Amino acid sequence: MLRKLITSLGLLGFSALAFAADAVAQTEKQATNWHAIIMFCIFVALTMGITYWAASRTKSTADFYTAGGGITGFQNGLAIAGDYMSAATLLGLTAMVYTQGYDGYIYMLCFFAGWPIILFLMAERLRNLGKFTFSDITAYRLDQGKVRTMAAISSLTVVCFYLIAQMVGAGQLIKLLFGLEYNVAIFAVGILMMVYVTFGGMVATTWVQIIKACMLLSGGTLVMVLAMSEFGFSFANLLEKATAVHKLGDKLMYPGALLKDPVTAISLGLGLMFGTAGLPHILMRFFTVTDAKEARKSVLYASGFVAYFFNVIFLMGLAGILIVGQNPEFFEGGTVGAKLIGGGNMVAMHLAKAVGGNMLLGFLAAVAFATILAVVSGLALAGASAISHDLYARVIMKGQASEAAEIRVSKIATICLGAVAIVLGILFEKQNIAFMVGLAFGVAAAANFPVLILSMYWKGLTTKGALWGGYGGLISAVLFVLFSKSVWVDVLGNAAPLFPYTQPALFAMPVAFLLAYIMSKSDSSVAASQEIEAFDDQYVRAQTGYGAASASNH
């Protein structure tokens, strides 16, 4: 039955792709890239095989949510890097270096700055205190029902905003590269994601992310090496030629052109830095390893892979200035006032075609699509676990739910999230992807991170403080974004924004911390004093892992 269902869903995805490709190929809107289609089909076939294999190994809730805790530090590091390096990383950051130069590199550093925080402050305690989701940690010594509900709501909010960015990115990318209709691409991503998560759980999702991370690292490295070979592998030579032709001139390698307003710059930096430590699908990965030592290793490996890839992207962006930006083949509208075909976000793709032909372009296009699939699968699993493990099993059933019932709810939640992702992807087709990603990070930094870090390190946190801090951070972050120019003016059409900045973290994070502190200090109830006393037991468990559920290999 399972074999037939996976096979039929796989064939449905392939037939939708083939039919749409044939239909669109007959129109002259976009030439179908058959190299990309073939490589994408190979990737889908490979991951469907992994999903079938994973389905036979997924028997318990521990298998479904955390792959039975049997993933090694190195494997988990690759998977975390795969979760973190989305298509926006490959396409958006390359384009940012291409247009803004050194500012694009600073932007990457903001993304990277969150990893030391996770490594030194969080990884070990997350693994020792948690079981399936980060709500396990925030609710460890507090009111289970209320705190889990709050954590699940903020997790789902972040997941939905992040899903919008990935789904819109998928639609736009496939529309341009594969020649498919936008809506068909959205459906293909949604259906495949549902199959991976519903049948394979965390085992399948992990291996999809590992394969995708290897493809992304190798593909990016190949493009970068071929591009650098045109400059004799000399960074100085590349830089000299790039500054000579770029519109910024010598300022290409100066900071400050991208975010002239220091408040926005600081707010964005805080959002990207602390948002990383509050993303549910990243935090969930720390429960897949055997112990705290492997959790620390996985962050170290992930940091290395991400740092390496950011440097590859920086060189790709600089090389693109000369190889793509000076090549009339990639222009439209003649030589005077010409602009890049496909817009700035496609610089990485054009560079791949320029240095490696259609075959390398096809490979990188398939990698970009695989990237979106992997990230969407991780997000769906994080969202489904918040619904099934936190809300259903712990809040509604008060911990009395059977494992079979919990997995069944999680699978239903995955299908519902897939449907929501498809609808959101279609509704938000015209929205700016970078804005959506920034919003997801900003909300995670304000809603998830403050309560999570306080629950691990501050003895005085009470349920009342956690609830006020969590909800306060979440609501204020969303309201600040709603009233900013990005939504209030650009989307809703009002004359002027009510909030002058576009990034919420600098303002919403202090709201969350202050509310948590004030409300905890003012709480003199008996329950609050018991929660404060329970911190000592939590501290021992966090430091030693004594009493943590022993993860077993299956």
PDB file of all heavy atoms in Angstrom, residues 230-251:
ATOM      1  N   GLU A 230      39.305  32.232 -14.745  1.00  0.00           N
ATOM      2  CA  GLU A 230      39.386  33.278 -15.770  1.00  0.00           C
ATOM      3  C   GLU A 230      40.209  34.482 -15.293  1.00  0.00           C
ATOM      4  O   GLU A 230      40.525  35.371 -16.076  1.00  0.00           O
ATOM      5  CB  GLU A 230      37.981  33.720 -16.188  1.00  0.00           C
ATOM      6  CG  GLU A 230      37.165  32.590 -16.805  1.00  0.00           C
ATOM      7  CD  GLU A 230      35.939  33.081 -17.551  1.00  0.00           C
ATOM      8  OE1 GLU A 230      35.855  34.312 -17.808  1.00  0.00           O
ATOM      9  OE2 GLU A 230      35.067  32.250 -17.873  1.00  0.00           O
ATOM     10  N   PHE A 231      40.502  34.519 -13.991  1.00  0.00           N
ATOM     11  CA  PHE A 231      41.309  35.616 -13.429  1.00  0.00           C
ATOM     12  C   PHE A 231      42.622  35.082 -12.853  1.00  0.00           C
ATOM     13  O   PHE A 231      43.232  35.710 -11.984  1.00  0.00           O
ATOM     14  CB  PHE A 231      40.502  36.354 -12.351  1.00  0.00           C
ATOM     15  CG  PHE A 231      39.171  36.832 -12.834  1.00  0.00           C
ATOM     16  CD1 PHE A 231      38.011  36.111 -12.564  1.00  0.00           C
ATOM     17  CD2 PHE A 231      39.065  37.995 -13.602  1.00  0.00           C
ATOM     18  CE1 PHE A 231      36.778  36.538 -13.030  1.00  0.00           C
ATOM     19  CE2 PHE A 231      37.828  38.424 -14.072  1.00  0.00           C
ATOM     20  CZ  PHE A 231      36.694  37.694 -13.787  1.00  0.00           C
ATOM     21  N   GLY A 232      43.009  33.894 -13.320  1.00  0.00           N
ATOM     22  CA  GLY A 232      44.256  33.292 -12.848  1.00  0.00           C
ATOM     23  C   GLY A 232      44.243  32.974 -11.371  1.00  0.00           C
ATOM     24  O   GLY A 232      45.295  32.962 -10.725  1.00  0.00           O
ATOM     25  N   PHE A 233      43.049  32.733 -10.817  1.00  0.00           N
ATOM     26  CA  PHE A 233      42.852  32.441  -9.384  1.00  0.00           C
ATOM     27  C   PHE A 233      43.444  33.532  -8.490  1.00  0.00           C
ATOM     28  O   PHE A 233      43.849  33.277  -7.356  1.00  0.00           O
ATOM     29  CB  PHE A 233      43.436  31.071  -9.008  1.00  0.00           C
ATOM     30  CG  PHE A 233      42.736  29.926  -9.679  1.00  0.00           C
ATOM     31  CD1 PHE A 233      43.290  29.311 -10.789  1.00  0.00           C
ATOM     32  CD2 PHE A 233      41.502  29.494  -9.217  1.00  0.00           C
ATOM     33  CE1 PHE A 233      42.629  28.264 -11.426  1.00  0.00           C
ATOM     34  CE2 PHE A 233      40.835  28.453  -9.849  1.00  0.00           C
ATOM     35  CZ  PHE A 233      41.406  27.838 -10.956  1.00  0.00           C
ATOM     36  N   SER A 234      43.473  34.753  -9.005  1.00  0.00           N
ATOM     37  CA  SER A 234      44.008  35.886  -8.240  1.00  0.00           C
ATOM     38  C   SER A 234      42.862  36.778  -7.767  1.00  0.00           C
ATOM     39  O   SER A 234      42.161  37.385  -8.583  1.00  0.00           O
ATOM     40  CB  SER A 234      44.970  36.703  -9.116  1.00  0.00           C
ATOM     41  OG  SER A 234      45.268  37.935  -8.498  1.00  0.00           O
ATOM     42  N   PHE A 235      42.681  36.840  -6.448  1.00  0.00           N
ATOM     43  CA  PHE A 235      41.620  37.688  -5.886  1.00  0.00           C
ATOM     44  C   PHE A 235      41.915  39.167  -6.171  1.00  0.00           C
ATOM     45  O   PHE A 235      41.009  39.942  -6.480  1.00  0.00           O
ATOM     46  CB  PHE A 235      41.520  37.443  -4.378  1.00  0.00           C
ATOM     47  CG  PHE A 235      40.449  38.260  -3.703  1.00  0.00           C
ATOM     48  CD1 PHE A 235      39.103  38.058  -3.988  1.00  0.00           C
ATOM     49  CD2 PHE A 235      40.780  39.247  -2.784  1.00  0.00           C
ATOM     50  CE1 PHE A 235      38.109  38.814  -3.375  1.00  0.00           C
ATOM     51  CE2 PHE A 235      39.801  40.010  -2.163  1.00  0.00           C
ATOM     52  CZ  PHE A 235      38.459  39.788  -2.467  1.00  0.00           C
ATOM     53  N   ALA A 236      43.192  39.546  -6.082  1.00  0.00           N
ATOM     54  CA  ALA A 236      43.586  40.943  -6.341  1.00  0.00           C
ATOM     55  C   ALA A 236      43.259  41.339  -7.783  1.00  0.00           C
ATOM     56  O   ALA A 236      42.756  42.442  -8.034  1.00  0.00           O
ATOM     57  CB  ALA A 236      45.079  41.122  -6.065  1.00  0.00           C
ATOM     58  N   ASN A 237      43.531  40.426  -8.709  1.00  0.00           N
ATOM     59  CA  ASN A 237      43.236  40.672 -10.123  1.00  0.00           C
ATOM     60  C   ASN A 237      41.731  40.841 -10.352  1.00  0.00           C
ATOM     61  O   ASN A 237      41.288  41.759 -11.040  1.00  0.00           O
ATOM     62  CB  ASN A 237      43.781  39.484 -10.948  1.00  0.00           C
ATOM     63  CG  ASN A 237      43.658  39.725 -12.441  1.00  0.00           C
ATOM     64  OD1 ASN A 237      43.542  40.853 -12.894  1.00  0.00           O
ATOM     65  ND2 ASN A 237      43.675  38.642 -13.214  1.00  0.00           N
ATOM     66  N   LEU A 238      40.953  39.949  -9.743  1.00  0.00           N
ATOM     67  CA  LEU A 238      39.483  40.012  -9.852  1.00  0.00           C
ATOM     68  C   LEU A 238      38.960  41.327  -9.289  1.00  0.00           C
ATOM     69  O   LEU A 238      38.129  42.007  -9.901  1.00  0.00           O
ATOM     70  CB  LEU A 238      38.867  38.824  -9.094  1.00  0.00           C
ATOM     71  CG  LEU A 238      37.352  38.876  -8.818  1.00  0.00           C
ATOM     72  CD1 LEU A 238      36.562  38.859 -10.119  1.00  0.00           C
ATOM     73  CD2 LEU A 238      36.920  37.702  -7.933  1.00  0.00           C
ATOM     74  N   LEU A 239      39.470  41.711  -8.117  1.00  0.00           N
ATOM     75  CA  LEU A 239      39.006  42.918  -7.434  1.00  0.00           C
ATOM     76  C   LEU A 239      39.338  44.181  -8.244  1.00  0.00           C
ATOM     77  O   LEU A 239      38.502  45.081  -8.384  1.00  0.00           O
ATOM     78  CB  LEU A 239      39.665  42.995  -6.055  1.00  0.00           C
ATOM     79  CG  LEU A 239      38.860  43.646  -4.942  1.00  0.00           C
ATOM     80  CD1 LEU A 239      37.503  43.013  -4.800  1.00  0.00           C
ATOM     81  CD2 LEU A 239      39.631  43.531  -3.629  1.00  0.00           C
ATOM     82  N   GLU A 240      40.526  44.205  -8.782  1.00  0.00           N
ATOM     83  CA  GLU A 240      40.972  45.362  -9.571  1.00  0.00           C
ATOM     84  C   GLU A 240      40.074  45.568 -10.796  1.00  0.00           C
ATOM     85  O   GLU A 240      39.628  46.680 -11.083  1.00  0.00           O
ATOM     86  CB  GLU A 240      42.421  45.128 -10.017  1.00  0.00           C
ATOM     87  CG  GLU A 240      43.058  46.339 -10.697  1.00  0.00           C
ATOM     88  CD  GLU A 240      44.483  46.041 -11.170  1.00  0.00           C
ATOM     89  OE1 GLU A 240      45.165  45.185 -10.554  1.00  0.00           O
ATOM     90  OE2 GLU A 240      44.888  46.651 -12.159  1.00  0.00           O
ATOM     91  N   LYS A 241      39.778  44.458 -11.482  1.00  0.00           N
ATOM     92  CA  LYS A 241      38.951  44.555 -12.691  1.00  0.00           C
ATOM     93  C   LYS A 241      37.493  44.869 -12.344  1.00  0.00           C
ATOM     94  O   LYS A 241      36.821  45.608 -13.056  1.00  0.00           O
ATOM     95  CB  LYS A 241      39.039  43.246 -13.477  1.00  0.00           C
ATOM     96  CG  LYS A 241      40.392  43.025 -14.136  1.00  0.00           C
ATOM     97  CD  LYS A 241      40.415  41.743 -14.949  1.00  0.00           C
ATOM     98  CE  LYS A 241      41.751  41.620 -15.691  1.00  0.00           C
ATOM     99  NZ  LYS A 241      41.852  40.351 -16.438  1.00  0.00           N
ATOM    100  N   ALA A 242      36.997  44.279 -11.255  1.00  0.00           N
ATOM    101  CA  ALA A 242      35.597  44.498 -10.860  1.00  0.00           C
ATOM    102  C   ALA A 242      35.353  45.948 -10.459  1.00  0.00           C
ATOM    103  O   ALA A 242      34.355  46.557 -10.858  1.00  0.00           O
ATOM    104  CB  ALA A 242      35.229  43.557  -9.716  1.00  0.00           C
ATOM    105  N   THR A 243      36.249  46.538  -9.657  1.00  0.00           N
ATOM    106  CA  THR A 243      36.075  47.936  -9.237  1.00  0.00           C
ATOM    107  C   THR A 243      36.191  48.898 -10.422  1.00  0.00           C
ATOM    108  O   THR A 243      35.572  49.961 -10.424  1.00  0.00           O
ATOM    109  CB  THR A 243      37.115  48.331  -8.159  1.00  0.00           C
ATOM    110  OG1 THR A 243      38.408  47.940  -8.609  1.00  0.00           O
ATOM    111  CG2 THR A 243      36.827  47.667  -6.841  1.00  0.00           C
ATOM    112  N   ALA A 244      36.945  48.497 -11.441  1.00  0.00           N
ATOM    113  CA  ALA A 244      37.122  49.364 -12.614  1.00  0.00           C
ATOM    114  C   ALA A 244      35.835  49.500 -13.426  1.00  0.00           C
ATOM    115  O   ALA A 244      35.580  50.545 -14.033  1.00  0.00           O
ATOM    116  CB  ALA A 244      38.239  48.815 -13.506  1.00  0.00           C
ATOM    117  N   VAL A 245      34.986  48.433 -13.438  1.00  0.00           N
ATOM    118  CA  VAL A 245      33.781  48.466 -14.290  1.00  0.00           C
ATOM    119  C   VAL A 245      32.485  48.678 -13.501  1.00  0.00           C
ATOM    120  O   VAL A 245      31.466  49.032 -14.076  1.00  0.00           O
ATOM    121  CB  VAL A 245      33.654  47.167 -15.124  1.00  0.00           C
ATOM    122  CG1 VAL A 245      34.856  46.987 -16.037  1.00  0.00           C
ATOM    123  CG2 VAL A 245      33.459  45.942 -14.238  1.00  0.00           C
ATOM    124  N   HIS A 246      32.507  48.446 -12.169  1.00  0.00           N
ATOM    125  CA  HIS A 246      31.263  48.525 -11.387  1.00  0.00           C
ATOM    126  C   HIS A 246      30.820  49.969 -11.181  1.00  0.00           C
ATOM    127  O   HIS A 246      31.648  50.878 -11.079  1.00  0.00           O
ATOM    128  CB  HIS A 246      31.455  47.848 -10.025  1.00  0.00           C
ATOM    129  CG  HIS A 246      30.181  47.469  -9.350  1.00  0.00           C
ATOM    130  ND1 HIS A 246      29.434  48.343  -8.600  1.00  0.00           N
ATOM    131  CD2 HIS A 246      29.492  46.298  -9.329  1.00  0.00           C
ATOM    132  CE1 HIS A 246      28.358  47.733  -8.139  1.00  0.00           C
ATOM    133  NE2 HIS A 246      28.366  46.486  -8.561  1.00  0.00           N
ATOM    134  N   LYS A 247      29.502  50.169 -11.096  1.00  0.00           N
ATOM    135  CA  LYS A 247      28.961  51.526 -10.933  1.00  0.00           C
ATOM    136  C   LYS A 247      29.409  52.176  -9.626  1.00  0.00           C
ATOM    137  O   LYS A 247      29.489  53.400  -9.524  1.00  0.00           O
ATOM    138  CB  LYS A 247      27.427  51.493 -10.997  1.00  0.00           C
ATOM    139  CG  LYS A 247      26.776  50.714  -9.882  1.00  0.00           C
ATOM    140  CD  LYS A 247      25.269  50.717  -9.952  1.00  0.00           C
ATOM    141  CE  LYS A 247      24.677  49.922  -8.797  1.00  0.00           C
ATOM    142  NZ  LYS A 247      23.220  49.835  -8.854  1.00  0.00           N
ATOM    143  N   LEU A 248      29.711  51.361  -8.595  1.00  0.00           N
ATOM    144  CA  LEU A 248      30.175  51.915  -7.311  1.00  0.00           C
ATOM    145  C   LEU A 248      31.657  52.299  -7.347  1.00  0.00           C
ATOM    146  O   LEU A 248      32.134  53.015  -6.464  1.00  0.00           O
ATOM    147  CB  LEU A 248      29.947  50.902  -6.181  1.00  0.00           C
ATOM    148  CG  LEU A 248      28.495  50.603  -5.792  1.00  0.00           C
ATOM    149  CD1 LEU A 248      28.444  49.510  -4.740  1.00  0.00           C
ATOM    150  CD2 LEU A 248      27.789  51.846  -5.288  1.00  0.00           C
ATOM    151  N   GLY A 249      32.374  51.793  -8.341  1.00  0.00           N
ATOM    152  CA  GLY A 249      33.798  52.104  -8.457  1.00  0.00           C
ATOM    153  C   GLY A 249      34.586  51.620  -7.253  1.00  0.00           C
ATOM    154  O   GLY A 249      34.405  50.492  -6.790  1.00  0.00           O
ATOM    155  N   ASP A 250      35.425  52.489  -6.704  1.00  0.00           N
ATOM    156  CA  ASP A 250      36.247  52.112  -5.544  1.00  0.00           C
ATOM    157  C   ASP A 250      35.411  51.812  -4.306  1.00  0.00           C
ATOM    158  O   ASP A 250      35.862  51.125  -3.386  1.00  0.00           O
ATOM    159  CB  ASP A 250      37.246  53.238  -5.220  1.00  0.00           C
ATOM    160  CG  ASP A 250      38.342  53.340  -6.272  1.00  0.00           C
ATOM    161  OD1 ASP A 250      38.578  52.329  -6.962  1.00  0.00           O
ATOM    162  OD2 ASP A 250      38.945  54.420  -6.408  1.00  0.00           O
ATOM    163  N   LYS A 251      34.177  52.346  -4.272  1.00  0.00           N
ATOM    164  CA  LYS A 251      33.311  52.121  -3.104  1.00  0.00           C
ATOM    165  C   LYS A 251      32.732  50.701  -3.075  1.00  0.00           C
ATOM    166  O   LYS A 251      32.014  50.347  -2.139  1.00  0.00           O
ATOM    167  CB  LYS A 251      32.170  53.139  -3.103  1.00  0.00           C
ATOM    168  CG  LYS A 251      32.637  54.546  -2.778  1.00  0.00           C
ATOM    169  CD  LYS A 251      31.454  55.489  -2.688  1.00  0.00           C
ATOM    170  CE  LYS A 251      31.919  56.903  -2.351  1.00  0.00           C
ATOM    171  NZ  LYS A 251      30.803  57.861  -2.365  1.00  0.00           N
TER     172      LYS A 251
END
